[in-house]
Amino acid sequence: MAKKKKKLENGAFLVYFDNIAKEKKIDREVVVNAIKEAFETAYTKKLEDETRSLLNTKTKKVNNKSKDGTRLSNALVRCDVDLANNVLDFYHQFKVVKEDDIQDDFIEISDEDPRAVNNNLKVGDYYEEKVDLASFTKGDVDKFISVFKQQINAAEKNALFETFKGKIGEIVTGVVEKSDNCVLVNLGSSRDGALATLYRKDLIGDEKFNPGDPIKVYIESIGASKGDKKDDLIKISRSCSGFLKKLFFNEIHEIYDGTVEIVGIARIPGVKAKVSVTTKDPNVDPSGACIGPNGSRIQAVVSQLGNKTKEKVDVITYKENRGLYIQECLKPVQVIGIKFDDEKGIATVVVPDEFKNQAIGQRGVNAILTRMLLNLKEIKIIGVSEAVEQNIEYKLFEEFEVEAREEQRRKTREESLRKANETIAKVIKEEEKAEDFLSKDETLVEEEEIIAETPVEEVKEEVETIKPKKEEEVIEKVNVATTISLDDLEASLEEEKKNTQETYKKKKKETKVEETKVVKDESKPKEKMSIYTDEELEALQDEEFDEEFDDDDSFEEYDDDSYYEE
């Protein structure tokens, strides 16, 4: 029974291609290239089938037994596709080569072939035969459509990747288009935007959405489509750890600027999550910075985790010591001791009997999240009485604290040693630079001494005079020749030195003479201005004499020696 043929109509095909370009938001050039590649593959497959059928007829073999007997190279195809004018033409091409150079007559013809001779074709030219699309069977058309869809899906993926490549790992806000078993989200600003699907596992708990609701989603990746579902090209989620981590980045400034770092996230979507944080700044409390005053910051994060039942979030401080880290994860329960089995990846945690259930948590959530944070295969939380009954040997929590302190001291010493070594290396480097500098100076001094000791009859100096110019710098070289000898130069210097000394002595002598004149002038008595005239002075003396000595007084008694004896 002959294969049923399905006629290809240019007009219908071109309308179909044009609609695809608009729907997928792909350039028409991309669609045209997809058409060319799909036709090349489909036409090659068509010719293979025809050749295989002819061979089977001649050799009288069953078709399926010679199925792998024929394999043709991809046909050389030229397509004339004009979507605007509804033009769609295909040509099978043959390259013209020398008769002895023909390797594949499916894509090559000889330069002596009548087809080449009649069309005046030379070696390197192409002979073309127009392909009648009406000769395509339904199988050929299906093959064409299959390859075309593959090319379009790849082009759509590339287009989406170019659009969202800067948003992978980010939270974007979309609009719910449809909500039943899964949620169809429009990530664009209009109904023509990119669509993505949130499956039930990607939602937080049992949250519900209605068409038209705004929704925040985390873009995980852009991958290949699953089957014919175009909405799977963009992988989005609300239940992954990346969504919670990005919320912390957006809501907590210390995490955004890098002061506080997120070490790990363990999450059971819609139930509970644990986020461990750390910092290199000793003045910052990492968990306190995330919680905020009165829990305001962590509440801003929790408010976006589910629209029905809010997911609980514990913020813990990361510890390098595993024992202390487990204690942080199980707070406020106080850990008594821990036993680690590194080979099996199991940790047995001993707590007070009355706090065992609290440490495990409802439905074992607390223990599960702790196991996830520490990358353990299993974690067992038992009471102290049970540990005694089973005779379990464990390390006390105080021993982990001592180990942590010793480790901190060791790191402090190493850091101090590292800084000291850096300082020493810096000092040595500076000393080496200084020695290099001094050695260069000594070399220059030695060169100058050698030049000075060498007798020179005539010294020629080449002076470079740089004259700046607007467009380019021009350097003029001027040769200056001096004909003075070293003996004349030394004599000149000695004479100049002698003249300088005589001038100095002369100035010094003049300075001394001036100082002597000043001293002599100061030795002369200075004239004083009289307060009284000569007549007034004589009158004053007479008055004093009259008052003190009276002429009537007798002084004879003072002349007798007996006066003094008494």
Side-chain angles (χ1 to χ4, degrees), residues 246-388:
K246 201 62 187 179
L247 287 179
F248 269 79
F249 267 89
N250 294 343
E251 299 295 339
I252 299 171
H253 177 72
E254 285 79 3
I255 292 181
Y256 178 80
D257 65 11
T259 304
V260 177
E261 298 178 5
I262 296 177
V263 179
I265 295 179
R267 185 183 183 197
I268 301 176
V271 181
K272 192 174 183 179
K274 286 184 181 291
V275 180
S276 64
V277 294
T278 186
T279 182
K280 295 179 180 178
D281 190 342
N283 299 319
V284 175
D285 176 15
S287 58
C290 295
I291 295 172
N294 299 323
S296 58
R297 290 184 173 182
I298 195 63
Q299 286 302 321
V301 174
V302 172
S303 63
Q304 303 177 62
L305 298 175
N307 56 11
K308 292 183 70 176
T309 303
K310 300 299 180 183
E311 183 177 323
K312 297 179 181 179
V313 179
D314 290 344
V315 182
I316 61 177
T317 302
Y318 172 75
K319 302 290 184 181
E320 292 185 359
N321 186 282
R322 292 187 299 174
L324 302 186
Y325 196 18
I326 287 181
Q327 171 64 77
E328 290 291 329
C329 294
L330 298 180
K331 277 185 177 181
V333 177
Q334 180 62 45
V335 174
I336 295 176
I338 306 170
K339 178 184 178 182
F340 287 103
D341 188 345
D342 294 328
E343 293 182 358
K344 297 181 180 180
I346 300 175
T348 303
V349 184
V350 181
V351 298
D353 293 336
E354 60 271 21
F355 295 110
K356 176 183 175 181
N357 293 335
Q358 183 179 355
I360 295 174
Q362 188 176 5
R363 297 181 182 178
V365 169
N366 217 26
I368 293 172
L369 295 178
T370 302
R371 175 184 61 79
M372 293 170 65
L373 279 179
L374 276 83
N375 293 321
L376 296 170
K377 293 182 179 179
E378 184 181 357
I379 186 169
K380 298 178 181 178
I381 300 178
I382 61 176
V384 63
S385 59
E386 185 179 353
V388 172

Side-chain angles (χ1 to χ4, degrees), residues 113-167:
D113 189 288
R115 293 174 293 182
V117 174
N118 295 337
N119 290 278
N120 297 322
L121 299 178
K122 300 179 181 179
V123 175
D125 295 338
Y126 287 90
Y127 171 74
E128 296 182 340
E129 291 181 352
K130 189 173 182 180
V131 179
D132 185 8
L133 296 181
S135 63
F136 274 57
T137 64
K138 183 179 183 299
D140 298 332
V141 174
D142 292 340
K143 182 64 176 176
F144 175 89
I145 293 174
S146 175
V147 176
F148 177 75
K149 283 184 176 180
Q150 292 177 7
Q151 296 298 318
I152 290 299
N153 288 338
E156 184 182 10
K157 177 184 175 182
N158 292 335
L160 286 173
F161 181 78
E162 289 298 322
T163 302
F164 290 95
K165 66 181 179 180
K167 298 180 180 178

Side-chain angles (χ1 to χ4, degrees), residues 10 27 53 100 152 162 209-210 304 306 337 356 361 400 409 416 422 432 481 515 539 560:
N10 287 2
D27 293 338
S53 177
D100 297 335
I152 290 299
E162 289 298 322
F209 293 95
N210 298 317
Q304 303 177 62
K356 176 183 175 181
F400 288 106
R409 291 194 190 99
S416 301
E422 289 179 355
E432 290 176 353
E515 290 177 352
D560 192 358

Side-chain angles (χ1 to χ4, degrees), residues 1-118:
M1 183 177 177
K3 291 184 179 180
K4 183 179 179 181
K5 293 184 178 181
K6 181 178 180 179
K7 186 177 180 180
L8 296 177
E9 298 180 359
N10 287 2
F13 256 53
L14 293 175
V15 171
Y16 171 73
F17 295 145
D18 197 33
N19 290 338
I20 287 179
K22 292 177 181 178
E23 179 183 351
K24 303 288 186 180
K25 293 182 174 58
I26 302 174
D27 293 338
R28 287 187 173 187
E29 186 65 26
V30 176
V31 176
V32 170
N33 291 335
I35 294 172
K36 292 179 180 179
E37 188 163 348
F39 178 76
E40 178 182 328
T41 305
Y43 186 64
T44 301
K45 182 68 169 57
K46 170 183 169 60
L47 294 179
E48 282 183 357
D49 292 342
E50 291 176 354
T51 303
R52 188 180 299 112
S53 177
L54 181 61
L55 290 174
N56 289 339
T57 301
K58 290 181 179 181
T59 57
K60 296 181 180 180
K61 289 184 178 180
V62 182
N63 190 26
N64 58 7
K65 289 185 179 181
S66 61
K67 185 174 182 181
D68 299 329
T70 304
R71 180 63 183 169
L72 301 178
S73 303
N74 287 338
L76 299 178
V77 176
R78 184 176 69 84
C79 302
D80 284 340
V81 182
D82 188 351
L83 298 180
N85 298 318
N86 290 332
V87 176
L88 178 64
D89 292 324
F90 298 100
Y91 298 90
H92 182 192
Q93 292 182 319
F94 298 87
K95 188 177 182 179
V96 179
V97 298
K98 292 286 187 181
E99 179 68 28
D100 297 335
D101 295 337
I102 294 179
Q103 296 180 355
D104 190 345
D105 57 3
F106 181 63
I107 57 176
E108 297 172 337
I109 61 172
S110 170
D111 58 344
E112 299 175 0
D113 189 288
R115 293 174 293 182
V117 174
N118 295 337

